[in-house]
Amino acid sequence: METRSNHVLVGTVVLILLAVLAIFTVWIARLGGTSEKQYDIFFKQAVDGLAKGSAVTYSGVPVGQIKTIALWKNDPQFVRVRISINDDTPILRGTTATVLGSFTGTSTVSLDGGIKGSPSIDCPEENPLAACPYGVPVIPTKQGGIGAILNSAPQLLERLSTLTEKLTGLLTDKNQASIAGILDNTNRISGALADRAPEIAATLAQTRVAIQQAGDAAQQVGKLADTTNGLVTTDVRPAMANLNKTLESARASVDTLNGAIGDARPGLQTFSRSTIPEANQLVHDLRATAAALSSVAQRVDQEGAASIISQPKLPDYKGK
């Protein structure tokens, strides 16, 4: 009985020592390791290449790994990814998560975009379940990398199909013949330009000479303008001053003439009303006198001067 009791006691002590050793080992491991924080990410996209244990990076630096990955029961369009990262990783406001793929088929969760000086992402005290449905903070997502390409793949394929159809319609036999003709004409034009290269060079040289001559002519025009300005200043302006004085004198003479006409206007009116009618009567009497004198002169010419004094003879009367 004593032997059996000793064996039981020894076994009990050994088990206690093993338990203490295990607890001490775990405690040492926790002391030597770093504490971690967990976050949820809800991806509304394909997460091909992600799996439990996949790496999590922040700006390319490994900071943790994926703990669980599954469809979100509330909405199967989303994939809930639980990540565990080092406690000293700055998960600040503005941090976003992206799925980055690689050619090897494995993918990683990439975190970036934290704003310096902003608070860290934590669950709010009021209504925490709305922002943290599973009790841990949620990191928002953004499109990027292969996910963005895959999401835009249908639009890209549609555009490629439309472009292919347009190219097929463009490259018909008729259009190909037209393009071939255009290329032939281009080759001919290039050959003609090559043949006319000396003439083109001579034309360019003449153009340079013409431009130089135009510059000289412009310079001469500038000198002529300066000379004209000097002429206007020295000769034309004094002449204009003399002309202005002459015009002022003429204006004064015209004003004097207008005054004289105004003073003579009553006499002119009297002359037109009385003198002119009397002159007309005088002219009429002179015309009558002239007619009488002309008749006398004609009579003297025909009958002599005695015809004016003597009476005219009566015709002889002969009886039957």
Side-chain angles (χ1 to χ4, degrees):
M1 294 293 294
E2 293 179 359
T3 303
R4 290 181 180 178
S5 300
N6 292 333
H7 289 170
V8 172
L9 180 61
V10 171
T12 304
V13 171
V14 170
L15 290 175
I16 292 173
L17 290 176
L18 290 174
V20 170
L21 181 62
I23 293 172
F24 180 75
T25 302
V26 172
W27 181 71
I28 291 295
R30 290 185 177 179
L31 278 178
T34 58
S35 58
E36 297 179 345
K37 292 187 67 174
Q38 293 185 351
Y39 296 89
D40 279 339
I41 305 172
F42 294 89
F43 289 105
K44 191 178 181 181
Q45 64 183 67
V47 291
D48 297 335
L50 290 182
K52 183 178 179 180
S54 296
V56 178
T57 63
Y58 193 101
S59 298
V61 179
V63 294
Q65 62 181 353
I66 295 176
K67 291 296 183 180
T68 59
I69 180 171
L71 293 174
W72 190 27
K73 296 180 180 179
N74 296 340
D75 190 349
Q77 294 182 356
F78 291 89
V79 178
R80 184 176 71 88
V81 178
R82 173 70 61 89
I83 63 174
S84 176
I85 61 176
N86 299 332
D87 189 28
D88 58 352
T89 303
I91 307 299
L92 307 177
R93 297 288 181 183
T95 303
T96 56
T98 307
V99 177
L100 292 181
S102 64
F103 293 103
T104 60
T106 60
S107 300
T108 60
V109 176
S110 176
L111 306 176
D112 61 1
I115 301 173
K116 180 180 178 181
S118 60
S120 59
I121 297 177
D122 292 316
C123 294
E125 296 180 358
E126 297 181 359
N127 195 12
L129 292 179
C132 307
Y134 290 92
V136 296
V138 177
I139 299 176
T141 62
K142 70 174 182 179
Q143 294 289 341
I146 296 178
I149 296 175
L150 293 176
N151 289 334
S152 60
Q155 298 178 356
L156 293 176
L157 292 175
E158 183 179 359
R159 292 179 181 178
L160 286 175
S161 177
T162 304
L163 180 60
T164 303
E165 292 177 358
K166 291 182 178 180
L167 288 175
T168 303
L170 179 63
L171 297 177
T172 59
D173 295 338
K174 183 178 179 181
N175 291 337
Q176 290 180 3
S178 300
I179 293 172
I182 292 171
L183 293 176
D184 291 338
N185 293 331
T186 304
N187 291 331
R188 292 177 184 176
I189 293 172
S190 299
L193 290 175
D195 295 337
R196 297 290 181 86
E199 298 179 3
I200 295 173
T203 303
L204 291 176
Q206 293 176 0
T207 303
R208 291 174 184 171
V209 173
I211 292 173
Q212 185 177 1
Q213 292 177 353
D216 295 339
Q219 187 176 2
Q220 292 177 0
V221 169
K223 293 180 180 179
L224 180 60
D226 295 337
T227 303
T228 304
N229 291 331
L231 180 62
V232 169
T233 303
T234 57
D235 296 335
V236 176
R237 288 182 179 174
M240 291 297 295
N242 294 330
L243 181 59
N244 289 331
K245 293 179 180 179
T246 304
L247 291 175
E248 291 178 358
S249 299
R251 188 179 296 109
S253 299
V254 170
D255 294 338
T256 303
L257 181 59
N258 289 330
I261 292 172
D263 295 337
R265 186 171 296 168
L268 293 174
Q269 292 178 355
T270 303
F271 177 77
S272 61
R273 292 176 181 176
S274 60
T275 305
I276 290 176
E278 292 176 357
N280 288 333
Q281 185 63 36
L282 178 60
V283 171
H284 182 269
D285 294 340
L286 289 175
R287 286 179 180 175
T289 304
L293 291 175
S294 177
S295 176
V296 171
Q298 184 178 5
R299 186 174 180 184
V300 169
D301 290 336
Q302 293 177 357
E303 298 180 2
S307 61
I308 300 174
I309 300 172
S310 63
Q311 294 293 326
K313 294 181 179 181
L314 296 174
D316 295 336
Y317 176 77
K318 295 179 179 180
K320 297 181 180 179

